[in-house]
Amino acid sequence: MDFSLTEDQVAIRDMARKFAAERVAPFADEWDEKAFLPRDLIREMGELGFFGCLIPEEYGGTDTGFLAMCLLVEEIGKASSSVRGAFNMQSSGTAYNICKNGSQQQKENYIPDLISGERLGCFAITEPDAGSDVFAMKLQAKKDGDSYVLNGTKTWISYATVADVAIVYGYTDPTSRTKGMSAFIVDMDLPGISTSILHKFGSNAFPTGEIIFDNVRIPENAILGKPGDGARILFSSLPDTRLNCGAGSVGLAQACLEASIQYCNQRVQFGSPISQFQMNQAIIADMAVEIEAARLLVYRAASQKDQGNKGNVLECSYAKYFAANTAVKAANLAMEIHGAYGYSPEYPIGRYLRDAKFYQIVEGSSNIHRLIIGMDQLGIRKANR
Ligand code: GRA
């Protein structure tokens, strides 16, 4: 196994690291406090090619692959978990999904605008009574002449209130659980669509909201794939967006480690820097080892995809589950190292802790990943397709 990055991948990582340090990190606390989405920055990230890694050049992408994307996501996620979210909204959950499943017209119409950051995207799966239990969703898309008419409510949708385009999942045939679900590309300015913001405990510069579809008429060619393809499209897209969450978690955990090292070296107690105390050395060691393990799980899942193994649901779950837990542990340990200063808004540790919890909830809660992994290991249901 070769763990080294190519020259191009190192250049991408270094470019993202510099961008994140200069353009994201200094403002991340303020954006979080004000729940401010840095819209212009997302356009700029698009122009720099940040969202194009999975997209062929003919649609404006860079075709640099999953590992390159994870390196970008990790660096941006280290500076701000909220800004990190744009990678899923502009690319993995939307543009890349359209790239895999869309018609020629859909690809031309949506992909370049999404990855350039010109139009904002979102994907709408979750409903008030359908979170972990995806198939409990109720949104209906009824065929009416050459249109579909959508009725239903989506909730906890990232970018709901700002998106120009949404990938919406619902039933075209509610009598058939897996074969009755379909996916649609919906322009969010259509009559009958209304959105409202939901307030969160963290990741506040990554807006989340509810979307109500009230007799929303969309043309029949807005369907992604064919009627009944929705479950396949949804469950083959989730591992991609989960991997991004894994990479973001690694970035956040790394931010916790770096802040803790800096603090340990500067804070003097009992006559010496607190880095001299073995309990703190143990904490730093534990953080460093776990972060490296999480990073390797993320890189391995990304490399597998780059080598053509795109159905690696299991390895994406390993990566997302372990990395999210690592982020939470790292944030808790960073709080322990920083003491009262960690609890103060003067330092970003409180934001790290709030954002880390987000990663254990979204894109399949930690227990959903344990379920996917446990059932696979026990031979009940293989995860990889
Ligand atoms: O073939 P089959 O008869 O088994 O039927 C399955 C197949 O048709 C059917 O789904 C299809 N399918 C797939 N097709 C292609 C399933 N997996 C794949 C695949 N990999 N490729 C039913 O599958 P199932 O496994 O029997 O379904 P289930 O038991 O009802 O559900 C399993 C499970 C609980 C794991 C699932 O529902 C699940 O993953 N739930 C979690 C939902 C989730 O992750 N939501 C995320 C919301 S989006 C979000 O959080 C945005 C965050 C934004 C950000 O910060 O980035």
Side-chain angles (χ1 to χ4, degrees):
M1 238 191 213
D2 182 6
F3 291 106
S4 55
L5 300 176
T6 64
E7 256 179 50
D8 282 353
Q9 286 164 346
V10 170
I12 287 171
R13 186 198 58 196
D14 291 349
M15 180 269 294
R17 189 169 288 174
K18 188 165 181 289
F19 182 88
E22 289 172 1
R23 305 295 313 283
V24 185
F27 314 103
D29 281 322
E30 186 190 332
W31 291 340
D32 185 67
E33 195 191 331
K34 295 185 174 157
F36 172 75
L37 170 77
R39 178 67 183 89
D40 291 343
L41 187 91
I42 287 162
R43 195 176 281 107
E44 200 180 326
M45 287 163 68
E47 282 161 8
L48 287 168
F50 279 31
F51 306 129
C53 296
L54 309 182
I55 305 294
E57 288 173 16
E58 59 177 309
Y59 301 114
T62 58
D63 212 4
T64 42
F66 281 89
L67 182 51
M69 183 179 61
C70 285
L71 295 168
L72 283 167
V73 171
E74 185 182 331
E75 293 304 328
I76 300 299
K78 187 172 137 191
S80 162
S81 303
S82 289
V83 176
R84 181 287 312 168
F87 285 87
N88 272 346
M89 299 306 120
Q90 301 308 114
S91 183
S92 305
T94 56
Y96 181 56
N97 197 349
I98 295 171
C99 194
K100 287 190 292 185
N101 298 296
S103 66
Q104 189 58 32
Q105 195 195 358
Q106 289 170 334
K107 291 181 194 179
E108 284 166 13
N109 188 11
Y110 292 105
I111 296 174
D113 278 2
L114 282 166
I115 62 169
S116 66
E118 187 57 37
R119 282 195 270 182
L120 295 180
C122 75
F123 50 97
I125 303 169
T126 304
E127 296 189 2
D129 295 316
S132 294
D133 184 5
V134 168
F135 285 103
M137 71 172 64
K138 293 198 181 81
L139 187 132
Q140 277 204 35
K142 266 204 185 132
K143 193 81 199 291
D144 182 30
D146 55 5
S147 318
Y148 285 96
V149 179
L150 307 189
N151 277 293
T153 299
K154 295 290 179 184
T155 195
W156 295 114
I157 306 304
S158 306
Y159 275 17
T161 50
V162 293
D164 302 295
V165 182
I167 310 275
V168 179
Y169 296 90
Y171 283 105
T172 37
D173 176 5
T175 63
S176 169
R177 185 173 168 269
T178 57
K179 303 284 174 257
M181 192 181 285
S182 301
F184 299 91
I185 310 176
V186 178
D187 292 323
M188 290 291 283
D189 57 359
L190 287 174
I193 297 181
S194 56
T195 65
S196 55
I197 196 93
L198 291 167
H199 298 287
K200 306 195 294 295
F201 178 64
S203 292
N204 291 314
F206 184 43
T208 301
E210 187 175 71
I211 313 177
I212 296 174
F213 297 88
D214 181 12
N215 281 317
V216 177
R217 189 170 286 275
I218 56 171
E220 66 182 339
N221 64 6
I223 196 160
L224 189 56
K226 297 189 303 301
D229 280 352
R232 177 191 58 78
I233 292 174
L234 191 160
F235 283 111
S236 55
S237 175
L238 277 177
D240 302 332
T241 49
R242 287 169 175 169
L243 184 58
N244 266 357
C245 284
S249 302
V250 171
L252 174 52
Q254 181 69 30
C256 294
L257 175 63
E258 290 180 16
S260 300
I261 290 171
Q262 198 183 0
Y263 191 77
C264 274
N265 283 328
Q266 104 201 2
R267 171 81 171 160
V268 174
Q269 286 290 274
F270 305 105
S272 62
I274 61 168
S275 57
Q276 295 304 313
F277 303 132
Q278 288 189 347
M279 280 195 211
N280 290 336
Q281 293 165 6
I283 288 176
I284 296 294
D286 286 350
M287 283 166 96
V289 173
E290 287 195 33
I291 292 166
E292 198 57 17
R295 179 176 287 119
L296 289 174
L297 284 174
V298 169
Y299 288 7
R300 182 183 62 157
S303 303
Q304 284 179 324
K305 286 186 187 291
D306 285 338
Q307 285 158 23
N309 178 4
K310 301 248 172 10
N312 59 344
V313 177
L314 179 68
E315 288 82 1
C316 289
S317 276
Y318 282 164
K320 194 275 181 182
Y321 171 60
F322 189 77
N325 286 354
T326 300
V328 172
K329 273 199 210 170
N332 273 317
L333 292 172
M335 188 66 84
E336 204 173 313
I337 292 273
H338 283 76
Y341 289 106
Y343 209 60
S344 145
E346 244 182 80
Y347 283 77
I349 312 301
R351 170 167 60 89
Y352 294 160
L353 187 56
R354 288 183 285 109
D355 288 354
K357 288 305 290 181
F358 180 83
Y359 285 124
Q360 285 184 323
I361 296 165
V362 292
E363 294 287 357
S365 65
S366 288
N367 278 340
I368 286 297
H369 291 288
R370 294 163 97 188
L371 180 143
I372 292 170
I373 296 163
M375 293 216 294
D376 180 272
Q377 294 301 298
L378 289 161
I380 298 168
R381 187 173 61 196
K382 281 288 153 208
N384 288 349
R385 310 276 171 135

